[in-house]
Every structure is written in C-alpha cells, then in structure tokens.
Amino acid sequence: KTETSYEPTQDRKEQERERKMAALPVVIPSQRIRQCIEGIGLTIACTQDVPAAIRLLAGAHTSLSIDLSLHSVLGENGFLAFTQLSEALRRNTSLTSLSLKVSFNDLRAAQMEELASALMHHPTITTLSLSLASNRIGAKGAKVLLDALTSNSVLTSLAVSLYGNRLGKKGARNVAQSFSDSSNTNLQSLLLDLGSFVVPFVLLLLLLLLWCSP
C-alpha cells in the first residue's frame, strides 16, 4: 500500500506561522522605539531588551510600563543593568506614572538601595506600581525601599508586590514600621502584596503601632 503525503498549502503555512508568533512575548526592538513613542503615554513589554528600557526611562515620557521579569536584568555583567536602570529613573524628571516589573531576577538588598535612591526624592511620579515578587530582597531590602517610598510626598497611588522575598516576621515588622513612620500625607491609594503568611503580621503590628502612637 502506497501512502500519499500532502504538502500543507501556503495559507495553512501562513496560519501556522501567525499562531506561533502570537504565542511569543511582546518585545519592542530598540530600533523601533522612536516609532512607538506617540501621544502622552507609552506601554512597552520589554521582556529581554534591557537597553531599550533604560533609554525609555532616560527620555521625556509621562507614562511607562516596563516588564523586565524572568531574569531579564541579569547577564554577563551581573546587576549592572539594574544599576543603570535605577540611574536612568533617578535622572528622569518627566514621568508621572510608572509600572515596573522586575520579578524573578534574584535581586538583593543592594539593588533595593539603588531603587530607593532613585525614588525617594523623585519629583514627578505620582502613580507607582512595583512588582518585585520572587527575588531575594529580604527584610533589609524591603525596609530600605519602603522607607524611601513612604517618605516621598509626591506619590498619591502606590502598589508594591513583595511576595516570595523571604521577609519573615522581621520583614513584617519593617513594613509596618515604614508605614507607621510615613511622612507622606498625600497617599490616597495603597496596595501591598506581601504573601498570605506575612500580611496578618503586618496588619497586627501596624494596628499596634498606630494604637500606641501619641
């Protein structure tokens, strides 16, 4: 018995190619950045192109959403890319809204010090969302970052995800203390994601600190 094989038609090949392309992460190549910057805001899914994200932060944009999760800021030079990213953010004086996702990057307390330095006195960002889940920030890193964020009186909306960072009870105390000592009276919206086991400790400690404060 002779089996007959059929070559897929050109239409089927094209459909298969489009299906595979649709499953890939959205990445805006650096050479197309200028073409994509239109209007007031810009959203970029930058899962691999770290230099492009740094150039975006160094530009005069009012709204950015950058996704550098899954080891995108790690490379041959270690955390140098994150240092450059923080420095670009510190120098930016036009952003009013920023969403930065750097989950799963093995970040440590040292990187939080760099990010804290960039955000503590940032003069224009009012809406900030940070996704720092599943790194190695620890209690010290969380304290440094949150102290900086709660002292920035320009922020009116803040969302921070820190789950999966080994905060423990000490980290819970640090988080509660940061918000108890906060000098920001303009914050209108706050969303904290610390993981299901840490949240009860933070709430209890925060209530106790507020109750005992004069």
Side-chain angles (χ1 to χ4, degrees):
K1 182 178 180 180
T2 303
E3 294 184 357
T4 304
S5 61
Y6 296 95
E7 290 293 329
T9 63
Q10 187 64 30
D11 288 344
R12 290 188 62 185
K13 287 182 178 180
E14 186 66 22
Q15 290 174 1
E16 180 66 16
R17 188 184 72 83
E18 290 179 357
R19 186 188 66 79
K20 291 180 179 180
M21 290 296 292
L24 295 175
V26 178
V27 177
I28 300 180
S30 57
Q31 65 267 24
R32 290 187 55 203
I33 287 179
R34 292 186 180 275
Q35 303 171 19
C36 298
I37 300 174
E38 296 179 357
I40 295 178
L42 171 68
T43 298
I44 175 171
C46 193
T47 52
Q48 295 176 347
D49 201 347
V50 179
I54 293 172
R55 285 193 290 273
L56 281 171
L57 281 173
H61 317 301
T62 59
S63 179
L64 286 177
S65 177
I66 299 176
D67 188 347
L68 295 172
S69 301
L70 297 173
H71 304 288
S72 295
V73 300
L74 294 177
E76 295 179 0
N77 296 321
F79 295 110
L80 177 61
F82 191 85
T83 301
Q84 295 171 339
L85 192 77
S86 298
E87 180 62 18
L89 176 57
R90 186 182 68 82
R91 292 176 178 271
N92 185 298
T93 56
S94 59
L95 268 181
T96 59
S97 177
L98 173 65
S99 173
L100 178 62
K101 299 178 181 180
V102 285
S103 301
F104 296 95
N105 272 293
D106 202 34
L107 300 177
R108 316 293 178 89
Q111 284 69 55
M112 293 305 99
E113 291 176 2
E114 295 173 350
L115 186 59
S117 176
L119 292 170
M120 179 180 288
H121 301 295
H122 200 285
T124 58
I125 295 179
T126 59
T127 302
L128 178 64
S129 176
L130 296 175
S131 180
L132 300 159
S134 299
N135 284 290
R136 299 178 67 182
I137 294 169
K140 179 183 176 181
K143 173 70 171 169
V144 169
L145 178 63
L146 292 176
D147 280 351
L149 296 177
T150 54
S151 65
N152 187 332
S153 59
V154 177
L155 281 173
T156 59
S157 177
L158 175 63
V160 183
S161 175
L162 287 170
Y163 73 85
N165 273 288
R166 305 176 184 178
L167 299 184
K169 293 183 179 180
K170 182 179 180 181
R173 287 194 296 269
N174 288 348
V175 172
Q177 191 66 54
S178 293
F179 284 97
S180 176
D181 297 339
S182 175
S183 60
N184 183 353
T185 58
N186 297 319
L187 195 62
Q188 301 173 8
S189 174
L190 172 64
L191 177 61
L192 278 176
D193 185 359
L194 304 173
S196 58
F197 295 103
V198 179
V199 170
F201 290 107
V202 174
L203 292 176
L204 178 59
L205 288 168
L206 187 55
L207 287 172
L208 288 173
L209 287 168
L210 292 174
W211 179 267
C212 296
S213 62

